[in-house]
Amino acid sequence: MTIGGLLSFNNSYCQIKNAKTETVRIYGNCNMCKSKIEKAGNQRKVAKVTWDKDTQMATITYNEKKTNQDEILKRIA
């Protein structure tokens, strides 16, 4: 029961309102790049970035009322 409560809290904590999802190419070649790209792009309740090392594609989900793709990409750069 406790685990179920924690999982439901985690899901509600990570949701982004007014979410818009886009996919962009971000060049990199290692797991350190993945860590830096995702850390720079993520903002709690505003933006979530997931980068795939093999395809070099990032999925960016963000609250379009609080930020935009260009602002996120500037933080990553």
Side-chain angles (χ1 to χ4, degrees):
M1 187 175 211
T2 304
I3 292 173
L6 289 173
L7 290 175
S8 66
F9 172 76
N10 190 27
N11 287 339
S12 65
Y13 176 74
C14 295
Q15 290 182 355
I16 297 174
K17 294 183 179 184
N18 305 309
K20 183 174 183 178
T21 302
E22 298 182 15
T23 304
V24 296
R25 181 173 301 276
I26 299 176
Y27 293 97
N29 55 11
C30 63
N31 287 328
M32 188 184 312
C33 295
K34 177 177 175 61
S35 174
K36 290 184 181 246
I37 289 167
E38 291 178 353
K39 186 175 179 179
N42 290 340
Q43 259 187 312
R44 186 170 45 189
K45 295 188 179 182
V46 176
K48 172 109 175 99
V49 177
T50 306
W51 183 71
D52 185 320
K53 179 180 85 167
D54 297 326
T55 62
Q56 296 188 347
M57 297 298 288
T59 303
I60 302 172
T61 303
Y62 60 93
N63 180 334
E64 63 184 342
K65 292 189 177 186
K66 293 186 178 183
T67 191
N68 59 48
Q69 179 183 349
D70 290 337
E71 287 182 19
I72 296 166
L73 292 175
K74 283 179 187 175
R75 285 198 311 268
I76 292 171

